[in-house]
Every structure is written in structure tokens, then in C-alpha cells.
Amino acid sequence: MLRPAHRFYQLRIYLFLNLLILTWTASVQAQSLTKKLPVSKFNLIETTISDIHRAFRTGALTSEQLVNAYLERIRTYDQPTKLNSIIILNPEALATARALDAEFQKTGKLRPLHGIPVIVKDNFNTKGLQTTGGSIALKGFAPTQDAYQVQKLREAGAIVLAKSNMAEWAFTPMHSQSSMVGETLNPYNLAYVPAGSSGGTAAAVAANLGAVGLGSDTGNSIRGPASHNALAGFRTSLGLVSRYGIIPLYTRNDVGGPMCRTVEDAVRLLEVTAGYDPNDPITKNSQGKVPKNYTQFLRKDGLKGARIGVLRQVVDKNIHPEIKQLFNRAIADMTQKGATIVEVTISDFDSLRANQWCADFKADIETYLRTFVKRDSLKTLDDIIRIGGYSDLVRDRLTYQQTHTGRASHPEIPCGDAFTDPLRIAFRKAIEAEMDRLHVDALIYPTWNYPPAQVGDAKGYKGDNSQLIAPATGQPAFTIPMGFTTGDLPAGIQFLGRMFAEPTLIRLTYAYEQATHHRVAPKRFIALGH
């Protein structure tokens, strides 16, 4: 029989051995977990689709971890800083990410946008997820089907992470303020605007709250916010990509497209969305004009031998000295990379671009309400106005649209699309004829001739060049960063091409981007980088 002292020592040895076993087990489990690499070891700041897919393939990251990390950044930055870029998060994002992780584990294959979290402007229909166009009139409306572009992104493996704030009904290029969540600020300097109307997508993507983004552009609304937030923004040729399921401003001008931190990422979104959609008849014009892939045109030497036209009628008109300095440096950079610069003047430019706009919002929005919303209490523009809750600017625009249709002058001229409207065709022919005569590949000009305006400064909104050509002619126009002005405010340069000449614009913009690397993340949104 053991003495009490012996039993005491035996118990101490037993407890010590158990402690060793528990410590060893915990160590093994920790090592097992670190093999999967916690999210904190993957740097989200300025990451690209290629970076993310590389991490998926090596096992360094899962889509679930990625979505969680972006959601954490949104919680940390969007409301606390008053950036105010997000209207609603997608509650199904994590479940979708887990399903995509399981698919990859089973098949070993990644879809083109597999597991990529997307910020979607809140005028794109998203199945089962509130879509408002920034207006409380549509609060609670959850479409039963996706917009065409959203559907194509999902089919390619993308995840709708969140819906972004916007200028209500996309009414203004100046700022992005809605009756849903208020005003979005510029992440580079919160005292300034991100432009409109896709300012929420632009601010969120620029601040690295999502991997890539979708915006829409009637006159400026992809390119202006992209320029103000140091992004690549693509307004593609009218007819290349379907607008079905996007809340319209003026359908005859509307385009939806990518807003991304790199040209390559924007191209990857374009690649899965371009092409014919029977629900948007204008896309018939794209048939036979969509290459097998667009990524083949991502060439670092794309400026070598190119002929670039400087559209002086835009460049030299009321331009801020810092924007002019950046633009002149851009010309020098292109020349250094082998491009020839050609001075271009379009005869009768001002008269050709006059009287191009038509007030079609009433008919377009009522068609949308009838097709998708299907509420007895919300069928007409009058119903939208009755619900109320808008800023003075939005109220004025809504009431104007009640009584105005067609062109401001010569209303007898029909308002057609870019392929049937005589004024639009004449304008495009004049632009492309001069490009052909001078053998230039694209025309360039600052996206805005002035830096972003301060919040609340109505007189500071000036210099928007995006409205001048592409919305009327239907031509593609891409903006990419060309540097920063005082106050860390981004500026963009715009490349205008011939109809369906996206391959040329991709080649030129990618080469310029790779030669200059002007984009940097906004400083105050870097701290939580993982």
C-alpha cells in the first residue's frame, strides 16, 4: 500500500504528463491551422484578381477568408470614417464563398472570377437583395432576377459583396448623395466629393473595401468617379454590353461597366459581360465584334508605334493649371514609350455636340417599374414624387422630368439610339473621320479639367469632359489615373476610341498604366491591410 506522500508525488507526475500531452496537442493544432494561413497574412491592400487566384491555388487563402476580411474592412472604415460608400451588405456573401471554396476543393478548377467579391452599384438588379437606385421610393425592393451583368459575373464565380451608394436616380455627375444613406465622401480626402453618380462604388473600391466594382454611366458616372478615386473606369461602346436590369436614367445613353484598381481587373470583368443579350436589342450591334478574349490585348509595349491624338478643343478649354501639368506629363510619358502625339481639332465640334440630350427618364423609369418592381403603389413618376424624401436637387429633376420629353430644341428630331439617331451618327462620323484622316488610334484629354470639388461647394463642380462625346456618339471611353493634385486628389486621363475598338483602348491604357503606376491607395484606409 502506497504511503500518502508517494500518492501525492504520483498525482503530480500524472498531472504533469497530462499537461505535456495537452500542450503538444495544442501545438500540433496550431501548426495545422497556420498551414492554411490566417487571413491576416494575406494583404488585401491593392490586391488583384490574379493575386487572389494565386493565393487560392497555393492554399494561402480561401474565398470565405477573403469575404470575411473585406467585411471587416467595411465595418472598420465605411461608417466610422463617414466614407458612407455602402447601402447594404449581402447576407449571403459568406455562404456563397463557402460554396465556391467547396467547388474548388472538389474540382481543382477556378472559374474566371471565382470567389472575387464585387461592389455593385445600387441601380443593378440583384436577385433577392435590395435594389433602390439610391431612392427611398424603392426601399425594400428585392428583384426576382439579376441584371444581365450581375448574372454573368455570378456565373463566372464572382460574389456580390455589397450594394454601393450613388447619386439618387443617377441624376448628377457632381456628387453621390441618396435618400437611402446620405452622401459618399472621397477616400483620398474626406472633405471632397467622389463625383457621381457611381461614387459609392468608386470610393469603396478605391478604399479597398471590395476587390472590384460595377458602375453605370449615362454621361460621366463611371469615368468621373473613377477619375476622382484613382481607378480604371470603362465606358464601353453602346451595344457591347447589356443594360438589362439596370435602373435607367436615359436608356439611349446608359452603359454599365467595370470600375477597378487596375486595367487588367477591369478587362477581366468586361471579358465575361460583353456580348449579345436578347433582352437588350442594342447588343445585336456587338455580334461579330467581340474577340475570343480581351486579356490578349494587355500589352506592356502597347504604346510603341501608337498614334495618339490630343483633342485640343477639350484640353485647352478652362483647365486647372495642376491638371494641365499632369496632362502634359502624361503626353511626355507616352512619347517616351514610343507613341507619336498628334494635335487634333474636330471641325464644327460645338455645333455637332449640341442638342444631343433627350429627356426620356419618365418613360424609361415607368417601364422599369412596370417590368421589375410591379407594385400597385409605385407605377409612375408621379408615385415616386408622392413618396418624397429627396434633396432639393433630386426633387427639381423629378418634377422637370414630369413635363419635359425629347430634345430641348428641335423636338421634331426623334431621339434614337447611337445607331439610328441622325444627330448622334453625324457627330460620331465627324470624330472617326478625323481620326482616320490623321491615322490616330485614340483621342486623349483629361477626364475632368478640374480637381474634385469640396463637399457642398456647388461652384467647384466644373471641368467634366466625360459628357462631351462618348454618351452621344456611343464610342468607348476609358479613364485611368494620371496623378494627383494638391490635397492628395486624384486626376484621370481619358482615352476615346472608335466604335467597338475596346482592344485598342485596352492596349493603350494598360501600357500607360504599367509605364506610370500612378495609382496608390488612400493613406487613411491602409492601416487595416489584412
Side-chain angles (χ1 to χ4, degrees):
M1 186 173 180
L2 291 172
R3 296 178 180 176
H6 289 165
R7 284 199 299 271
F8 174 73
Y9 288 122
Q10 187 182 47
L11 181 60
R12 289 185 64 183
I13 291 169
Y14 173 80
L15 291 173
F16 177 71
L17 289 173
N18 272 278
L19 181 62
L20 282 177
I21 291 169
L22 287 171
T23 303
W24 176 82
T25 302
S27 175
V28 169
Q29 289 175 340
Q31 289 176 25
S32 175
L33 287 171
T34 56
K35 286 179 182 177
K36 295 180 181 179
L37 196 65
V39 171
S40 61
K41 295 297 175 68
F42 181 81
N43 191 349
L44 287 184
I45 303 301
E46 301 298 283
T47 193
T48 66
I49 294 170
S50 293
D51 294 335
I52 292 167
H53 280 182
R54 191 177 304 113
F56 286 170
R57 289 190 177 95
T58 62
L61 183 69
T62 66
S63 182
E64 182 181 359
Q65 290 173 322
L66 183 65
V67 168
N68 263 322
Y70 277 125
L71 291 174
E72 179 63 21
R73 282 187 61 81
I74 291 171
R75 285 190 290 267
T76 301
Y77 285 118
D78 194 55
Q79 289 303 316
T81 65
K82 296 182 169 56
L83 183 68
N84 212 28
S85 66
I86 302 299
I87 287 181
I88 190 169
L89 298 174
N90 180 8
E92 299 299 319
L94 279 170
T96 304
R98 292 186 196 106
L100 287 163
D101 286 337
E103 177 186 314
F104 177 52
Q105 190 173 29
K106 181 179 179 180
T107 66
K109 295 180 180 179
L110 293 174
R111 300 191 228 172
L113 299 175
H114 199 104
I116 302 299
V118 184
I119 303 292
V120 178
K121 185 178 180 180
D122 200 34
N123 61 348
F124 283 77
N125 283 0
T126 44
K127 184 178 180 180
L129 183 63
Q130 179 180 269
T131 300
T132 71
S135 174
I136 60 169
L138 285 175
K139 186 175 182 179
F141 167 57
T144 57
Q145 64 181 126
D146 284 327
Y148 178 87
Q149 291 192 45
V150 174
Q151 175 191 334
K152 288 299 178 183
L153 293 184
R154 289 203 214 246
E155 289 172 359
I159 300 168
V160 174
L161 182 69
K163 303 295 290 293
S164 60
N165 197 28
M166 57 180 285
E168 192 158 346
W169 300 115
F171 272 157
T172 176
M174 300 183 294
H175 57 254
S176 292
Q177 183 176 4
S178 74
S179 59
M180 286 299 296
V181 296
E183 186 164 7
T184 300
L185 305 179
N186 191 312
Y188 287 91
N189 190 324
L190 295 171
Y192 291 79
V193 298
S197 62
S198 308
T201 294
V205 174
N208 289 271
L209 306 187
V212 292
L214 270 186
S216 65
D217 188 311
T218 305
N220 159 84
S221 296
I222 286 175
R223 293 160 295 151
S227 173
H228 280 23
N229 291 272
L231 300 177
F234 288 7
R235 180 189 169 94
T236 52
S237 301
L238 267 169
L240 181 64
V241 180
S242 173
R243 292 87 45 84
Y244 183 73
I246 301 176
I247 298 174
L249 176 52
Y250 302 132
T251 298
R252 66 193 293 271
N253 284 26
D254 291 344
V255 170
M259 303 174 72
C260 301
R261 291 184 292 267
T262 67
V263 171
E264 180 177 338
D265 280 358
V267 169
R268 292 188 183 280
L269 266 62
L270 173 60
E271 199 160 76
V272 302
T273 54
Y276 175 60
D277 172 20
N279 287 315
D280 188 0
I282 199 173
T283 57
K284 286 191 301 183
N285 295 283
S286 72
Q287 292 179 314
K289 300 182 178 76
V290 181
K292 185 177 180 181
N293 67 73
Y294 283 103
T295 51
Q296 64 182 301
F297 305 108
L298 294 168
R299 291 175 39 195
K300 288 186 178 182
D301 66 348
L303 284 166
K304 188 176 182 181
R307 289 176 61 84
I308 307 294
V310 176
L311 190 54
R312 285 295 173 192
Q313 286 148 303
V314 174
V315 174
D316 294 336
K317 187 175 181 180
N318 190 21
I319 187 169
H320 189 279
E322 290 188 49
I323 299 292
K324 186 172 184 178
Q325 183 179 17
L326 291 176
F327 186 74
N328 287 338
R329 188 177 74 187
I331 290 173
D333 289 336
M334 291 184 209
T335 302
Q336 197 273 329
K337 288 296 177 179
T340 298
I341 303 300
V342 181
E343 301 292 322
V344 177
T345 301
I346 307 298
S347 298
D348 302 318
F349 181 72
D350 288 335
S351 61
L352 283 165
R353 69 183 185 87
N355 203 27
Q356 291 283 354
W357 290 90
C358 290
D360 293 332
F361 178 73
K362 185 178 189 296
D364 288 343
I365 195 61
E366 290 180 355
T367 298
Y368 177 86
L369 295 174
R370 184 170 59 251
T371 305
F372 297 107
V373 181
K374 301 176 183 177
R375 287 182 187 168
D376 290 341
S377 61
L378 188 61
K379 292 182 176 180
T380 66
L381 179 57
D382 290 346
D383 290 333
I384 292 172
I385 294 170
R386 172 180 50 78
I387 292 169
Y390 314 109
S391 67
D392 290 342
L393 181 148
V394 172
R395 189 180 302 108
D396 289 347
R397 297 286 173 91
L398 289 171
T399 53
Y400 174 88
Q401 295 290 338
Q402 274 184 304
T403 55
H404 291 77
T405 59
R407 300 183 195 274
S409 61
H410 295 288
E412 72 279 3
I413 303 175
C415 294
D417 64 36
F419 302 94
T420 60
D421 188 306
L423 298 189
R424 301 178 79 170
I425 293 169
F427 192 12
R428 181 172 67 251
K429 282 185 174 179
I431 297 283
E432 293 190 345
E434 190 63 9
M435 292 176 70
D436 292 344
R437 188 182 74 82
L438 296 172
H439 305 288
V440 298
D441 298 298
L443 301 179
I444 59 170
Y445 42 87
T447 305
W448 280 60
N449 273 4
Y450 270 73
Q454 285 188 295
V455 173
D457 179 14
K459 294 181 180 179
Y461 300 118
K462 51 187 175 182
D464 176 6
N465 293 325
S466 295
Q467 310 273 356
L468 300 179
I469 304 172
T473 65
Q475 293 167 260
F478 295 1
T479 184
I480 54 173
M482 70 169 181
F484 292 81
T485 60
T486 300
D488 293 328
L489 296 171
I493 183 170
Q494 194 159 156
F495 290 69
L496 179 84
R498 296 172 177 82
M499 285 296 282
F500 299 107
E502 278 76 7
T504 299
L505 293 190
I506 290 167
R507 173 171 56 86
L508 298 176
T509 54
Y510 181 72
Y512 176 74
E513 173 197 58
Q514 294 299 304
T516 57
H517 293 288
H518 284 306
R519 176 173 165 80
V520 295
K523 295 173 185 175
R524 71 178 298 162
F525 291 87
I526 293 177
L528 182 66
H530 304 96

